[in-house]
Amino acid sequence: MEQYAIKGGKALEGEVTIAGAKNAALGILAAAIMTDEKVVIENVPDVSDTRTLLAAIQDIGATVEHLDEHTVSICGKGIVGDDTLSVDGKNIRKIRASYYLIGALLGKYNYANVALPGGCDIGTRPIDLHIKGFETLGADVKIIQGGKIVARAEKLVGKHIYLDTVSVGATINIMLAAALAEGKTTIENAAKEPHIVDVANFLNTMGANIKGAGTDVIRVRGVSRLHGAEYSIIPDQIEAGTFMTMAVATRGNVLIKNVIPKHLEAISSKLIEMGATVIEYDDSVRVMADGVLKPTQIKTLPYPGFPTDMQAQMAATLALSDGTSIVTESIFENRFRYVQELCKMGADIRVEGNTAIIHGVEKYLGASIVASDLRAGAALVIAALAADGFSTIDDIKFIQRGYENFDEKIRGLGGDIEIVDSEREFQKYKLKIG
Ligand code: EPZ
């Protein structure tokens, strides 16, 4: 089983370029099949989640062509939207974003048959709000044998939909289904993340009529058809934030390129509170830290609040600060599974309900640890890079779902990290690094 082997203790220095936003790409790749014309999408991050979704789109008959490492063309014309249509498979059942194919197929064909979503084990992750949205638009939605969801409608008619909980997935999925519905749909209490805006902008380049994305009221006026388009995905705010916290935890000096600084405001302000220096340029940020880090309080909230996807990375950094910090996870029920792994490295963290109380320690000690989900895995890499000595991280497949060339980018900043797949290879790595 592949592992990351890491020798910590070096301050990361240099430049790193951020890839396209995974959570925008997944909605956009699904939306691309809603036209029978060709769509070209640039800045697609090459991660296992996007590869899995593209394979699923191809499996149901779309034409997918990789024009280069980060540019893909998709044409949904080959999809047969009748009741032979079925999105299923071992891999697609592992990712969360398969559910966007329900909204896209239902919107285009008034029919969808998709395996229920998987995704990181950070809570129960129901899809009741998605289903409520589809039903409000006029679909009949059933969970059928074999863990599949079937949605069917005579036609979809625009309605007023209020989301009880702010949900990124439900907001995007309802936008997809409403884009070709008859009449006007209003989504109240919508999520406002940058990736919601990116999906809405993409749909509008295909001829949709969506206003208000990025606010908590999104208005969709259904159109009769969508046409081909060319689009470039925004940079990934969470990958950028991950490298920002990595620079701070290792007391480094890193220029993070291809970012939208505004999307990073919640992260930057917390790192500055901790004593780091963050310098913003047009499309990059420089993050520096040295000496003592100050403790702070974090509460994860929907955008523009502090992002839940940065909670673990921030906690791993706060565990090295000089004092007590409190981290409250208000979005998911089970997003502290990384804490036990950090404690194996000498962290002093106690979890009580949805709050982690973090007493800073001087340093981490290298250990053998296991990634439980995507962002928890990133947090463990940050801790191992800051630790004294060698660490191994198991189950890196979770990390590779959302970070492109993660080890390569870290080596580019002077970090000692390699992928090994046996104890012998790990020993060889230790001898090589010394
Ligand atoms: C998206 O997940 C992201 N995944 C997550 O990123 C991210 O953590 C999350 O949004 C919040 O920003 C993708 O975009 C593929 P939600 P999603 O619906 O859509 C509850 C990562 O690390 N809820 O906004 O599943 C839900 O249980 C991943 O890249 C319902 O109750 O998140 C949660 O408590 C991890 N019913 C809250 O809403 C529903 O029908 C927010 O979930 C839907 C959600």
Side-chain angles (χ1 to χ4, degrees), residues 22-24 26-27 49 95-100 118-120 122-132 165-172 191 193 195 236 238 301-303 307-309 330-333 335 373-375 401-403:
K22 165 181 82 82
N23 292 344
L26 294 168
D49 271 15
I95 72 168
R96 178 84 181 149
S98 56
Y99 56 28
Y100 291 141
C120 287
I122 52 179
T124 50
R125 309 194 78 183
I127 59 168
D128 57 306
L129 297 174
H130 301 240
I131 293 172
K132 174 185 156 189
T165 309
V166 175
S167 161
V168 167
T171 302
I172 290 176
E193 274 71 4
H195 29 292
D236 193 314
I238 304 302
L301 288 167
Y303 191 82
T308 175
D309 291 350
S330 71
I331 308 288
F332 290 105
E333 318 93 275
R335 205 163 197 178
D373 60 75
L374 167 56
R375 308 302 176 183
R401 289 184 49 186
Y403 290 95

Side-chain angles (χ1 to χ4, degrees), residues 292-307:
V292 172
L293 297 177
K294 298 177 199 129
T296 185
Q297 281 64 46
I298 304 264
K299 178 172 184 178
T300 65
L301 288 167
Y303 191 82
F306 191 87

Side-chain angles (χ1 to χ4, degrees), residues 275-395:
T277 301
V278 179
I279 304 168
E280 290 185 0
Y281 303 99
D282 289 346
D283 61 355
S284 60
V285 289
R286 178 172 293 281
V287 180
M288 299 176 277
D290 56 18
V292 172
L293 297 177
K294 298 177 199 129
T296 185
Q297 281 64 46
I298 304 264
K299 178 172 184 178
T300 65
L301 288 167
Y303 191 82
F306 191 87
T308 175
D309 291 350
M310 278 300 303
Q311 181 257 98
Q313 300 93 311
M314 187 57 91
T317 306
L318 284 168
L320 294 171
S321 68
D322 181 24
T324 298
S325 301
I326 305 286
V327 173
T328 304
E329 172 56 55
S330 71
I331 308 288
F332 290 105
E333 318 93 275
N334 184 23
R335 205 163 197 178
F336 287 120
R337 292 175 60 197
Y338 61 88
V339 166
Q340 64 189 22
E341 302 302 307
L342 293 182
C343 290
K344 288 177 191 168
M345 302 178 75
D348 179 355
I349 307 175
R350 201 173 67 251
V351 175
E352 289 180 5
N354 67 343
T355 298
I357 297 127
I358 303 172
H359 299 294
V361 294
E362 195 188 329
K363 61 184 175 182
Y364 285 116
L365 301 173
S368 295
I369 45 186
V370 183
S372 54
D373 60 75
L374 167 56
R375 308 302 176 183
L380 299 185
V381 170
I382 290 169
L385 288 166
D388 274 6
F390 287 92
S391 299
T392 57
I393 300 178
D394 269 326
D395 285 351

Side-chain angles (χ1 to χ4, degrees), residues 4 243 404-415 417:
Y4 283 143
F243 280 100
E404 180 183 316
N405 300 330
F406 201 38
D407 54 314
E408 196 179 305
K409 289 186 176 183
I410 293 168
R411 282 195 296 274
L413 295 171
I417 177 173

